[in-house]
Amino acid sequence: MTPHPVFAETKQRCLIDTKQLKRYTQAKPLPNDTRSAPPLDIGFGQQRALKALQTAIDIDASGYHVFAAGENGLGKRTIISRLLQQIAAKDPTPNDWVYVHNFADPRTPLSLRLPAGQAKQLQQQVNSLWLQAKKRLSQRFRSDYYQSQIEAIKNAAHEKESHAYEALNAEGKQYDLALSFRASDNKAVFVHPSQLSADAESRAADAEENEPNQQNKPNKPTQTENNKGHFTHKNHMQKRFNQLTIALEQLEDEANDTIETLHRDIAQRALQPLFTEVREQFASQQVVLDYLQALLNDMVAHAPHIVNGDDEEFVTALLATTPSRYAVNVMVNHQPDSGAPVIFEDLPTHLNLLGHVEQVTQLGTVTTDVSMIRAGALHRANGGYLLLEASHLLEHPYAWQGLKRALQSRKIKLSSLEQMLTLTGSLSLAPVPIDLDVKVILLGEADLYYELLELEPEFDAVFKVRADFHDDVIRSQEHELALVAKMADIIDHANLYPFDSRAQAALLEHLSLQAEDQNRLSLHSDSLIKLLHESHRHARLDHKTSTQQNTNEAIVSAQHVEQAISDMDERSGYLRDLYWDELKNGQQLIQTKGVAVGQVNALTVVSYADSEFGMPARLTAVIQPNIGAGDILDIERDVDLGGSLHAKGMLIMTSYLRALFSQHHALNFSASLAFEQSYAHIDGDSATVSEACALLSALADVPINQAFAITGSMNQLGEVQAVGGINAKIAGFFDACREQALTGEQGVVIPMANINQLMLRDDIIKAVEAGSFYVYGVRTINEALTLMTGLPIDTLNKKGHYHKDTLFGKILRRLISWDESQAADELIEDKKADKKAKKKRKAKRQKKTDKRRDELSKKRDSGNTNPRQAKDDLEHNDNEDSDVYDSHDISDEPYETD
């Protein structure tokens, strides 16, 4: 059949030229290979984000931390780290921090701030002080001078004690008493001189023990005590002895004090020179001088323990060179003039962020000390920059709360997570907090940022700056060269073969395909790195098998890049291959030639994991005339397989149809739409145009060309809008047509707004050039319907009505014919009902007449009625029934006329 002129004109107008199907990159302006690439611009393509980051860095106020928002794989961490390293190199080096034992309050270790590089020096000096102090004290306390001094003090004390005993004994002789010591317990007692023999001493001791009992008995003189006066004298001397005992204890205390004074003097003279040199080194640090003085005083006070090692606090700790009491725990140490630190914490738990205090269990006892305090990422980044993955931070309990508290208070306070979780816990240290000055950069996707804003009221107060990272950049020669510089940087860092200019061009074309736009280039670093490594692999394998590998320099060509892309596509194509197998076996019903009413090949995209592919899907529409008022059943939505965007597209299409035909005729039909052999969730509005084509085809009873597949969104005005995944959709239908043999008539209908997104495969472009496949772009639903049906759509005649051979004219004729058919059917039904009612009334009248006749006959037979009167009554009743019947006939006259 000769195609309609409107169809031929629309087909010619909508046909897309092959030059518009892909934008190629010219290799000539690119470097010969990546070794001659221009210098790398770290912030290429991300100027907006870097400007936001610089703003946060320049403002030294609470809450000016950054959330870097962007898709995973953009290289946010690499870009920010490199930029911060450049900035940090010019920043002043922050102070060092150490924790030391608090001799006044051991449970609260002291934090000392030191200039950069001096924390390790202090630790080394204190370690050296300990070793030298222990050695020197051991020498002093084992010297002859020390021994002679101790001996002199002891001899003096012993001499005084002897003199005191002699004086007391002399006093006792006045009362005829002598001082003696019992053999059983060496207790001093006063006895008569005649009892100083062993037996007498024993009896005297027994008599002494029985003295209280003897006092309560009747006066009976004994051998050892003859009178009351002797007993009184003995009590007096015993009291004098008790007084002497107190004096002797005081004498012993004085001797001990003298010994301690000797120890302090010796220790002071021994240690003072050692500390003098260290004090001179830290003369400008008053906090260090105070600590050194406290350390000296403690060593002097505990010199004997240090020498004897009889206390665990003064014994060298395990895996350490000093006792924990004298340990200098370096939390942060920086090299002088090294700039500010840039730290990335890949495991941001509460302990790893804020630090913690370790504990050790020995013989069932949990202990800890200042040497067990461990620094966190905030300690290491203090004075610089800390990078964290937001999703990793939120995975760990209390990590966000700890970070937020530290940033708000601007102090790092170590707390026991055990106590926070259980509200109990073992005794732990409470170190003095450290002042915090840091810029924190959280890395995450934009969706996570919005969730945090909604769910965490204080998030915006802590992270006041948002840095948005772009997915792509405009495709210009300048940006292409900048991306080549980025490739060269990755190649140098990974030690890969250089890429020649054609390989660079192939990579840039692939980046444009990833961006789904001829005029843009993707900035996803992960996919670029993966493609560079796989291309290098193919080049390396080719170089190994080359016979001239010794003379030819290894380089990556465009062929290696294309092979790597093909390998990546094959690895991700398992599900796609299953679909094509079903298509080959006839299990998946797709028709790529011929015509069908209410049936369209819709272009769809299947996305799973990290890959996607296009495939055609059969979309069908079924009409039920004279049922409903233009209602359209979306089967996918009703069975919960359609998403909200798909439902929105259906409602827009329904609204368009109502506005299109309701002004001409009532919509006396209902319809249903469904994707055949679809068992997965469907979303998106890109099937709106195909659904409209299928529905209008079914309404007009006009077939659709199955050699075409279509995709596109539409608005309520019938304008076709752009959709996503256009390249994959076209490739999917092309592969299906090629599988069922190309006829030279097949093609796809896409929105004209998607022309700039076309980056088709080279084999598809060759098929288009050969006239085996076509790509059409439409702006309105009418153009799409013309291409799909071959008919004009809304041509008007002289009276302003749709022409009968147009698609809309056919639809209106069908709507009217359905209405007329329904009216005729209703008229026939009404006539049948009228005749049935007449027969029913006639039968009822006849039954009544027969009843009256029977009654009159009975009266006549009984003789109670005048025969003449009975006859008149019967005729009167017949006339009444006739009047009633006639009145019914008059009311039904219009139906009889009709």
Side-chain angles (χ1 to χ4, degrees):
M1 295 178 58
T2 303
H4 196 284
V6 174
F7 170 72
E9 188 273 333
T10 302
K11 188 175 180 181
Q12 183 64 32
R13 183 178 70 251
C14 296
L15 183 65
I16 297 176
D17 189 79
T18 54
K19 295 180 181 179
Q20 298 176 282
L21 301 181
K22 184 177 182 178
R23 177 178 173 179
Y24 290 93
T25 299
Q26 299 299 321
K28 187 174 181 181
L30 300 177
N32 291 333
D33 60 57
T34 51
R35 289 172 296 189
S36 57
L40 173 66
D41 179 9
I42 296 177
F44 163 65
Q46 306 296 351
Q47 285 75 17
R48 183 196 301 271
L50 299 186
K51 184 177 180 181
L53 185 65
Q54 188 65 55
T55 299
I57 293 174
D58 292 341
I59 299 177
D60 185 17
S62 178
Y64 274 87
H65 305 282
V66 182
F67 189 99
E71 292 185 8
N72 290 332
L74 287 176
K76 300 188 294 294
R77 194 179 88 190
T78 302
I79 295 173
I80 293 176
S81 296
R82 290 189 174 185
L83 178 67
L84 291 180
Q85 286 171 358
Q86 290 182 354
I87 297 174
K90 303 175 184 177
D91 289 344
T93 306
N95 294 320
D96 292 349
W97 287 91
V98 300
Y99 271 114
V100 295
H101 183 78
N102 187 350
F103 299 104
D105 183 8
R107 192 172 179 273
T108 310
L110 299 175
S111 59
L112 304 183
R113 185 200 305 261
L114 299 171
Q118 292 192 13
K120 281 289 184 182
Q121 295 180 15
L122 178 62
Q123 185 186 53
Q124 294 171 0
Q125 291 294 341
V126 172
N127 290 345
S128 177
L129 277 175
W130 161 254
L131 296 176
Q132 295 180 32
K134 186 176 181 181
K135 181 179 179 181
R136 184 166 293 189
L137 289 175
S138 297
Q139 292 174 349
R140 295 290 190 274
F141 279 77
R142 288 180 174 83
S143 64
D144 294 338
Y145 170 78
Y146 171 77
Q147 296 297 334
S148 63
Q149 291 293 321
I150 292 296
E151 190 66 26
I153 295 172
K154 290 181 178 181
N155 290 338
H158 182 69
E159 184 177 353
K160 290 180 181 180
E161 182 180 356
S162 299
H163 289 320
Y165 276 120
E166 290 176 359
L168 185 63
N169 193 30
E171 184 179 352
K173 289 181 180 181
Q174 297 176 4
Y175 304 104
D176 199 19
L177 294 173
L179 185 64
S180 178
F181 294 89
R182 288 188 310 202
S184 59
D185 56 2
N186 200 33
K187 183 179 180 181
V189 294
F190 285 93
V191 297
H192 194 273
S194 61
Q195 297 175 334
L196 292 180
S197 62
D199 295 340
E201 185 178 349
S202 177
R203 287 192 299 269
D206 293 339
E208 182 69 18
E209 292 177 356
N210 294 329
E211 280 183 3
N213 296 329
Q214 297 294 332
Q215 293 177 7
N216 298 329
K217 293 180 181 181
N219 291 333
K220 185 177 180 180
T222 62
Q223 295 179 357
T224 59
E225 187 170 347
N226 300 331
N227 52 54
K228 186 176 180 180
H230 181 72
F231 178 76
T232 302
H233 295 156
K234 189 173 184 180
N235 282 343
H236 171 72
M237 292 308 300
Q238 193 67 39
K239 291 179 181 179
R240 292 284 294 124
F241 176 76
N242 292 338
Q243 294 174 357
L244 177 62
T245 302
I246 296 173
L248 291 178
E249 290 176 354
Q250 294 177 352
L251 182 63
E252 184 178 359
D253 291 340
E254 292 176 359
N256 291 334
D257 291 342
T258 304
I259 292 175
E260 289 181 4
T261 303
L262 175 65
H263 288 167
R264 285 194 296 270
D265 291 343
I266 293 176
Q268 186 74 27
R269 290 195 301 271
L271 299 180
Q272 188 67 41
L274 300 178
F275 279 80
T276 301
E277 182 180 353
V278 180
R279 282 199 186 96
E280 292 175 356
Q281 185 174 351
F282 297 95
S284 61
Q285 306 297 321
Q286 186 60 43
V287 291
V288 178
L289 296 179
D290 295 342
Y291 167 69
L292 290 175
Q293 185 61 46
L295 177 63
L296 173 61
N297 295 339
D298 190 76
M299 285 187 173
V300 168
H302 299 93
H305 296 300
I306 295 175
V307 174
N308 299 327
D310 54 358
D311 192 329
E312 291 184 359
E313 290 192 14
F314 302 95
V315 177
T316 302
L318 184 64
L319 302 178
T321 57
T322 60
S324 302
R325 187 181 185 88
Y326 302 137
V328 175
N329 189 352
V330 177
M331 302 298 289
V332 184
N333 179 66
H334 301 287
Q335 294 295 329
D337 300 325
S338 61
V342 179
I343 304 298
F344 173 73
E345 178 56 56
D346 58 348
L347 186 63
T349 64
H350 183 276
L351 302 182
N352 289 348
L353 280 177
L354 283 87
H356 61 286
V357 180
E358 294 180 340
Q359 296 177 336
V360 61
T361 303
Q362 294 179 344
L363 302 176
T365 302
V366 179
T367 60
T368 186
D369 53 59
V370 68
S371 66
M372 296 185 185
I373 301 176
R374 297 293 175 257
L378 286 174
H379 293 92
R380 298 192 300 273
N382 198 7
Y385 309 93
L386 175 62
L387 278 72
L388 300 171
E389 287 286 352
S391 58
H392 296 172
L393 176 68
L394 299 175
E395 287 175 357
H396 302 285
Y398 294 92
W400 162 250
Q401 288 82 353
L403 176 65
K404 179 179 67 173
R405 185 185 70 231
L407 296 181
Q408 289 176 334
S409 65
R410 306 190 79 168
K411 289 184 179 296
I412 309 174
K413 182 179 179 181
L414 278 75
S415 58
S416 174
L417 187 59
E418 177 188 0
Q419 295 178 359
M420 294 173 62
L421 294 174
T422 63
L423 303 180
T424 60
S426 57
L427 181 65
S428 184
L429 300 179
V432 175
I434 290 177
D435 294 336
L436 178 62
D437 179 19
V438 69
K439 290 291 182 182
V440 178
I441 297 93
L442 284 184
L443 310 173
E445 296 190 353
D447 291 343
L448 181 57
Y449 175 79
Y450 295 129
E451 290 180 8
L452 288 172
L453 280 181
E454 180 180 357
L455 301 177
E456 173 53 71
E458 296 180 307
F459 179 76
D460 191 38
V462 179
F463 288 87
K464 295 182 178 180
V465 178
R466 170 182 168 182
D468 286 313
F469 279 75
H470 298 289
D471 300 337
D472 49 40
V473 292
I474 296 175
R475 186 176 180 181
S476 63
Q477 185 174 352
E478 178 186 358
H479 288 168
E480 287 182 347
L481 289 175
L483 267 173
V484 170
K486 182 178 180 179
M487 297 175 195
D489 180 70
I490 297 172
I491 291 169
D492 292 341
H493 181 74
N495 196 24
L496 306 180
Y497 291 161
F499 283 59
D500 64 18
S501 58
R502 293 185 179 276
Q504 299 165 29
L507 288 169
L508 292 171
E509 291 169 6
H510 184 71
L511 293 179
S512 190
L513 172 62
Q514 284 187 318
E516 291 192 348
D517 197 323
Q518 293 179 354
N519 301 318
R520 303 198 72 83
L521 294 167
S522 173
L523 293 176
H524 280 259
S525 298
D526 283 355
S527 57
L528 177 60
I529 292 172
K530 181 167 65 173
L531 184 55
L532 289 173
H533 278 275
E534 297 200 21
S535 302
H536 164 79
R537 170 180 173 270
H538 288 292
R540 177 169 49 82
L541 293 176
D542 284 353
H543 185 64
K544 283 184 178 180
T545 57
S546 175
T547 56
Q548 300 178 352
Q549 59 177 334
N550 294 330
T551 58
N552 292 341
E553 184 180 10
I555 196 167
V556 182
S557 66
Q559 179 183 357
H560 299 136
V561 176
E562 293 170 358
Q563 193 171 358
I565 295 174
S566 178
D567 288 352
M568 294 165 61
D569 184 61
E570 181 183 3
R571 287 199 306 271
S572 62
Y574 173 70
L575 188 60
R576 179 189 57 202
D577 293 342
L578 292 179
Y579 170 79
W580 294 127
D581 290 340
E582 292 181 354
L583 187 66
K584 294 177 185 177
N585 299 332
Q587 296 175 341
Q588 194 71 237
L589 300 179
I590 291 295
Q591 188 176 344
T592 59
K593 55 186 177 180
V595 295
V597 176
Q599 178 177 303
V600 175
N601 290 326
L603 297 178
T604 64
V605 171
V606 177
S607 299
Y608 75 102
D610 60 343
S611 64
E612 66 176 22
F613 65 92
M615 59 178 249
R618 176 176 290 182
L619 176 64
T620 58
V622 177
I623 303 296
Q624 297 87 33
N626 295 324
I627 298 177
D631 302 322
I632 301 176
L633 172 64
D634 182 7
I635 294 179
E636 308 296 336
R637 182 67 173 175
D638 282 12
V639 297
D640 293 332
L641 286 179
S644 56
L645 295 180
H646 178 259
K648 178 184 178 182
M650 283 288 298
L651 292 176
I652 289 175
M653 186 264 294
T654 303
S655 177
Y656 169 74
L657 292 180
R658 289 182 183 277
L660 190 63
F661 295 111
S662 59
Q663 59 182 328
H664 301 289
H665 195 277
L667 301 182
N668 52 349
F669 69 92
S670 62
S672 60
L673 286 166
F675 282 92
E676 307 296 342
Q677 294 183 285
S678 173
Y679 310 104
H681 191 269
I682 296 175
D683 202 3
D685 61 349
S686 62
T688 310
V689 173
S690 57
E691 290 168 341
C693 290
L695 182 60
L696 292 172
S697 168
L699 283 173
D701 195 25
V702 171
I704 287 179
N705 189 353
Q706 300 300 298
F708 288 153
I710 188 169
T711 185
S713 171
M714 64 176 285
N715 58 27
Q716 295 186 101
L717 304 178
E719 297 171 336
V720 180
Q721 302 167 148
V723 295
I726 193 67
N727 294 290
K729 291 177 178 179
I730 296 175
F733 186 67
F734 174 79
D735 291 338
C737 293
R738 186 171 57 182
E739 193 65 41
Q740 296 183 354
L742 291 171
T743 63
E745 298 179 356
Q746 292 136 337
V748 292
V749 180
I750 65 172
M752 189 65 74
N754 280 114
I755 296 301
N756 289 333
Q757 279 76 50
L758 293 179
M759 289 292 294
L760 298 181
R761 299 194 318 241
D762 289 342
D763 57 339
I764 301 177
I765 296 176
K766 290 179 181 178
V768 173
E769 291 176 344
S772 302
F773 196 75
Y774 302 92
V775 180
Y776 299 96
V778 295
R779 294 179 176 84
T780 65
I781 184 65
N782 289 356
E783 290 179 340
L785 288 169
T786 298
L787 292 174
M788 301 298 286
T789 63
L791 296 177
I793 305 304
D794 57 355
T795 306
L796 302 177
N797 57 23
K798 295 179 180 179
K799 296 181 179 181
H801 299 152
Y802 291 126
H803 200 278
K804 63 180 181 179
D805 64 345
T806 63
L807 184 69
F808 290 171
K810 292 179 181 292
I811 292 175
L812 284 177
R813 285 212 313 274
R814 290 200 79 196
L815 295 177
I816 295 172
S817 67
W818 291 338
D819 202 0
E820 292 175 349
S821 175
Q822 184 178 17
D825 292 342
E826 289 177 354
L827 179 60
I828 293 173
E829 291 295 329
D830 290 344
K831 288 183 177 180
K832 290 180 179 179
D834 182 53
K835 290 180 179 179
K836 186 176 181 180
K838 287 181 178 180
K839 289 180 180 180
K840 187 175 181 180
R841 288 194 299 271
K842 187 176 181 180
K844 185 178 181 180
R845 186 188 63 178
Q846 185 65 39
K847 183 177 181 181
K848 187 176 182 181
T849 302
D850 293 342
K851 184 178 181 181
R852 290 180 182 275
R853 288 180 184 277
D854 291 343
E855 291 176 353
L856 291 175
S857 297
K858 290 179 181 179
K859 290 180 180 181
R860 187 173 57 246
D861 294 342
S862 63
N864 295 329
T865 304
N866 188 350
R868 179 66 181 176
Q869 182 65 33
K871 182 178 180 182
D872 292 340
D873 292 339
L874 182 60
E875 290 177 354
H876 176 71
N877 290 331
D878 288 342
N879 289 333
E880 287 181 354
D881 293 339
S882 177
D883 291 340
V884 174
Y885 178 76
D886 290 341
S887 67
H888 285 286
D889 286 347
I890 291 173
S891 66
D892 293 340
E893 183 177 355
Y895 296 95
E896 294 292 341
T897 302
D898 291 340

